[in-house]
Amino acid sequence: MKIQTRITELLGIRYPIIQGGMMWVGTAEMASAVSNAGGLGTLTALTQPTPEALVKEIARCREMTDQPFAVNLTLLPAVNPPPYAEYRQAIIESGIKIVETAGNKPHEHIEAFKQHGIIVIHKCTSVRHALSAQRIGADIISIDGFECAGHPGEDDIPGLILIPAAADQLTVPIVASGGFADGRGLVAALALGAEGINMGTRFCATKEAPIHSNIKQFYVDNDERATHLLYRQFRNTTRVAKNAVSDLVVKMSEDPNLQFEQIRPYVSGLKGKLALENGDIDAGVLTAGQVMGLIHDIPTCQALIENIMQEAEQIVQQRLAQFFPR
């Protein structure tokens, strides 16, 4: 089944399913597999150590797919931030047509991308930020509910409320993000006013995801209760999987005087990368969403997307139809 929304039309994809930018996971292997399956794959710019390395990864992805794919540029709070302008220029000079941005103060980046005719998807966790991104030129808003992996914002609004609240006020198309894994979620997102879905954790549990099989099985074995929220006291809330490291950080966070430097050694991004590579579940912090409760297998990206679309069609044509007899 082919489905047509403003998302599929704008992005030139067959199905309104987007693989979100994921640190250490958004490589050419991941992005090309999703794009070849009819969705939109996404390279994560900051996974590459330098802008020059990103240029090479973009070229490598083009060798693996002739379908549209995006590059994610996430703006992270940091004492010594990456050279964002150089990564941005690498994206532009590589001829990328679709970019996913996320994080605070994306104005200069969105404006620069728009000047080069690039379609911008901006990820937001609140309606007010979505409206701001729309005003400065974002073509698509990815609205991220509280269930999501990574940064859910500080308002704690779940997708069931946040998606229709955003749809009520935005004029650009919306991608629903956070808590999506199957056809039920896609149909629900469309009913709530979105025109596509974004999945992160679910794509980690696929055969093509460039992470250790132990970590993929970890996502399958966990349920919807198996996450922690870290860094709340620093107003940089992050949802991660429960493991020995996140358990320790939660315990340390009971101290009202905790300083970030005290937990920094445990939450290093490089330790998380090591865990993804070597399969040691307790080697570092692992980003994961509550959607783990809906992940029960490790399919190929092709099979996953096809199953989502088949299930969505069945729900609309059979399950929902029975409630509206003619």
Side-chain angles (χ1 to χ4, degrees):
M1 178 184 76
K2 182 173 181 176
I3 184 170
Q4 190 170 16
T5 71
R6 285 187 292 172
I7 296 295
T8 59
E9 291 177 355
L10 267 172
L11 304 181
I13 56 179
R14 183 174 176 82
Y15 305 124
I17 299 173
I18 296 174
Q19 168 242 320
M22 296 177 284
M23 195 65 176
W24 314 126
V25 181
T27 63
E29 286 77 10
M30 182 85 265
S32 63
V34 174
S35 290
N36 286 334
L40 182 74
T42 306
L43 295 177
T44 305
L46 298 183
T47 290
Q48 302 305 317
T50 65
E52 293 76 18
L54 175 59
V55 170
K56 292 178 181 178
E57 190 71 0
I58 291 170
R60 200 164 70 89
C61 194
R62 284 202 174 107
E63 293 175 356
M64 301 167 75
T65 183
D66 60 359
Q67 298 300 305
F69 63 90
V71 175
N72 164 279
L73 184 64
T74 297
L75 311 171
L76 302 170
V79 177
N80 297 305
Y84 289 119
E86 294 178 26
Y87 276 98
R88 182 182 73 213
Q89 195 60 27
I91 293 168
I92 292 170
E93 291 180 359
S94 294
I96 289 295
K97 301 300 183 185
I98 307 166
V99 169
E100 179 190 63
T101 55
N104 294 327
K105 299 179 179 177
H107 300 62
E108 68 172 284
H109 302 290
I110 291 179
E111 289 169 3
F113 289 134
K114 293 305 298 175
Q115 287 171 6
H116 290 84
I118 296 171
I119 294 171
V120 175
I121 306 167
H122 186 66
K123 184 176 284 190
C124 303
T125 59
S126 70
V127 175
R128 63 187 184 279
H129 292 150
L131 288 169
S132 175
Q134 178 179 261
R135 281 194 296 271
I136 61 176
D139 301 282
I140 297 169
I141 296 296
S142 181
I143 198 79
D144 226 356
F146 184 58
E147 308 92 332
C148 72
H151 299 281
E154 307 302 324
D155 296 335
D156 299 1
I157 309 298
L160 193 60
I161 304 300
L162 189 58
I163 297 163
D168 283 345
Q169 297 194 50
L170 294 168
T171 57
V172 299
I174 295 169
V175 173
S177 183
F180 295 97
D182 53 31
R184 295 173 297 181
L186 175 57
V187 173
L190 296 175
L192 292 171
E195 298 187 42
I197 57 173
N198 177 297
M199 303 192 304
T201 306
R202 185 60 187 99
F203 276 122
C204 286
T206 57
K207 294 191 182 301
E208 295 92 345
I211 60 180
H212 198 281
S213 58
N214 288 357
I215 306 300
K216 298 179 187 183
Q217 191 61 45
F218 177 66
Y219 290 140
V220 172
D221 293 340
N222 274 334
D223 65 18
E224 64 278 4
R225 301 167 297 170
T227 68
H228 280 310
L229 292 172
L230 305 185
Y231 321 142
R232 300 228 80 176
Q233 62 268 60
F234 307 116
R235 293 194 62 77
N236 187 30
T237 302
T238 302
R239 188 181 298 281
V240 303
K242 288 183 179 180
N243 64 4
V245 178
S246 62
D247 286 346
L248 174 62
V249 174
V250 167
K251 182 67 177 175
M252 294 175 69
S253 298
E254 294 174 1
D255 178 2
N257 299 312
L258 180 74
Q259 301 298 308
F260 186 76
E261 290 303 317
Q262 294 172 255
I263 60 174
R264 184 187 294 276
Y266 305 105
V267 300
S268 158
L270 291 178
K271 286 189 175 180
K273 180 175 185 274
L274 181 65
L276 293 175
E277 290 175 346
N278 68 15
D280 182 352
I281 291 163
D282 294 317
V285 170
L286 297 169
T287 301
Q290 293 178 321
V291 76
M292 287 190 292
L294 302 178
I295 299 174
H296 308 301
D297 60 358
I298 305 172
T300 64
C301 290
Q302 183 81 38
L304 173 61
I305 290 176
E306 287 179 356
N307 288 340
I308 289 173
M309 296 311 303
Q310 289 169 6
E311 184 181 21
E313 183 176 19
Q314 185 178 40
I315 290 169
V316 172
Q317 295 184 355
Q318 298 179 29
R319 176 170 169 74
L320 295 184
Q322 70 179 317
F323 300 131
F324 300 92
R326 293 183 178 180

